[in-house]
Amino acid sequence: MASDPVDVLIIGAGASGAAFAWSLLETRMRILCLEQGSHLHDSDFPSRNQDYELSRYGAFSCDPNVRRLQQDYPINSEESCITPVNWNGVGGSTINFLGHWPRMKPSDFRTRSMDGVGDDWPVDYHTLAPFYEMNDRNTGVSGLAGNPGYPDYAPPLPSIPMGRLGRKLARGFNELGWHWWPSDAAILSQPFDGRQKCVNAGTCDLGCAAGAKGGTNFTYWPILERAGVELRTECRVREILIDESTGLASGVLYFDPDGELREQRAHLLAVACNGVGTPRLLLNSVSEQFPDGLANRSGMVGRNLMFHPLTGVSGVFDEPMRGHEGPMACSILSQEFYESDPARGFLRGYGLHAGRSTTPMTFALGGFGIDDPIPWGAEHRRIMDSVYPYLAGLTVVTEDLPEPHNRVTLDPKLTDSDGIPAPKITYSLSGNTRRMLRHGAERATEVLLAAGANKILKGDCEKVWWRAGWHQMGTCRMGSDPANSVVDAWGRSHDVKNLFIVDGSIFVTSGAVNPTSTIQALALYIGDCIKSNIENLFD
């Protein structure tokens, strides 16, 4: 049985879906959001428990293939050197992201014009600037104004303290004369909008029990629910339906919390399921008009998958770095090597992120993505006593260039618990990325030595972190030409005029920074385009 139609149906209650819904509140349209996960109370976060570290390897892992919860879908990443990681629930991956909040830079939107690589976006930095600012206020972003690497802007709150680790590494950058700046963070440095400031617990990825981290469960969703936005949790969308007579999307089929298949009709649909979940849903939505997947006449749905391949280098210092104290988000960020320089042997660039250390058990088990536990016995004791407290590290975050063979498809055998085909990831590193990783590891080593490290710890700089798939971009990219893009500059499908995509899948290039700030700015921008063109939106 079909429910009464709503004005706007949003699929996904994470970063982009929440921001998009907020943008449309003033229209007073009836808005419904379907979310396949649950709505966790902060009392349920493992960060409140004494054994919180164990949850990183079980029910609160960032990897759905490890969690295997009812709301998760498996991902076949056997043909990829990076596996996607996410969280399904109200707030999406902002529940377990680290809150690092850099913006993309103006050059990121013009890589074809400037460097002859990738493609130019149909929007630019200056178009998004007011939406970056709006989102920073809504989220509660801490940072320091005046970063010379960007056009002028000022985060609304003072920056998070750099800590002893950040100050030590900053001296290394200063010795070399290289750019660095305190990182913007979606973490409160002081009380804001009824939320308390960061308590320095270092459990950001396990749900911020203090409410200091800017997950949309703490920022946008309380506003949305008070305003009357309907939220249905534990509702997994199977497919988007098409009205064959009009060519418009008419609604969705979804499984309710009892496993019953239901239909929900809508006048406008927005997909906010991330760079893997969105192409998966479109490819599963087949019809006579779209035998290869909804909105896929270009054949581009699922192609050009981009991550941010990471490697890391650590230094051992003479004094304790106290790296596990404070938010895990990046302490300082260097963009000295962000822009293209042909002399380096690769195009585009990378950032050097000085993050804080992991907590003790996580370090002992190999940290995030490295998966090489330290030895047991006497050597274990020695490393925990004489290495772990003295560590400071730099992460090399590379710009991943779009390549059509890096893609999301449907697995022919694997399904989720409702029998919906699961995504399969096919992904490999380009030679450009490998050269970038090697260059970045060499520069990180220089910084650590200049900062006073007496020993450098690093592995194979081309062995990227396996669970580095937090940032999933590019699989339904924006563009002016329907032949090589999925949505236009408004995030509207070229093929289906009442279907919008508002998540990171619409990225044209990846930049070399965490994408959440840009994802939400884009969602706000798309909402604004809809409001400005409401009279002829489906023409």
Side-chain angles (χ1 to χ4, degrees), residues 72 97 128 145 178 202 212 360 376 428 458 487 490 501 516 532:
D72 293 322
F97 83 148
L128 291 183
W178 293 351
W376 297 112
S428 59
K458 62 180 177 180
V487 299
W490 300 357
I501 303 176
T516 310
S532 300

Side-chain angles (χ1 to χ4, degrees), residues 324-344:
H324 62 285
E325 299 176 11
M328 299 169 69
C330 193
S331 171
I332 64 174
L333 168 64
S334 171
Q335 295 181 329
E336 179 73 20
F337 305 101
Y338 197 95
E339 309 289 358
S340 286
D341 181 345
R344 298 179 193 143

Side-chain angles (χ1 to χ4, degrees), residues 137-149:
R137 291 197 306 270
N138 291 344
T139 300
V141 173
S142 301
L144 179 65
N147 187 343

Side-chain angles (χ1 to χ4, degrees), residues 299-300 302-305 401-408 426 477:
M300 299 302 289
R303 292 192 178 275
N304 298 296
L305 172 66
L401 296 177
E403 297 179 290
H405 61 267
N406 287 335
R407 62 187 302 196
V408 177
T426 305
R477 65 177 177 170

Side-chain angles (χ1 to χ4, degrees), residues 377-511:
E379 181 66 3
H380 186 98
R381 183 71 272 167
R382 185 192 69 80
I383 291 174
M384 293 304 295
D385 285 344
S386 63
V387 175
Y388 172 68
Y390 303 93
L391 280 178
L394 288 168
T395 301
V396 182
V397 179
T398 62
E399 176 169 350
D400 203 6
L401 296 177
E403 297 179 290
H405 61 267
N406 287 335
R407 62 187 302 196
V408 177
T409 56
L410 297 180
D411 191 274
K413 297 180 180 178
L414 192 64
T415 66
D416 63 26
S417 57
D418 288 309
I420 305 171
K424 177 182 178 181
I425 307 301
T426 305
Y427 176 89
S428 59
L429 295 182
S430 68
N432 191 73
T433 299
R434 293 181 187 279
R435 291 188 292 274
M436 201 182 300
L437 287 165
R438 185 163 52 249
H439 188 276
E442 291 169 354
R443 301 294 83 72
T445 299
E446 290 183 56
V447 174
L448 292 165
L449 291 173
N454 56 56
K455 184 178 182 181
I456 299 296
L457 304 177
K458 62 180 177 180
D460 181 352
C461 63
E462 294 185 10
K463 181 186 176 184
V464 296
W465 295 353
W466 166 242
R467 290 193 180 93
W470 294 285
H471 310 154
Q472 306 156 22
M473 302 159 285
T475 49
C476 296
R477 65 177 177 170
M478 306 175 88
S480 302
D481 185 352
N484 62 18
S485 59
V486 178
V487 299
D488 65 13
W490 300 357
R492 182 177 66 172
S493 162
H494 291 300
D495 299 340
V496 183
K497 297 303 182 185
N498 67 335
L499 176 67
F500 290 77
I501 303 176
V502 298
D503 57 43
S505 67
I506 66 176
F507 277 37
V508 181
T509 53
S510 69

Side-chain angles (χ1 to χ4, degrees), residues 309-327:
L310 310 178
T311 192
V313 182
S314 294
V316 182
F317 290 82
D318 291 331
E319 60 181 315
M321 289 291 99
R322 299 170 63 177
H324 62 285
E325 299 176 11

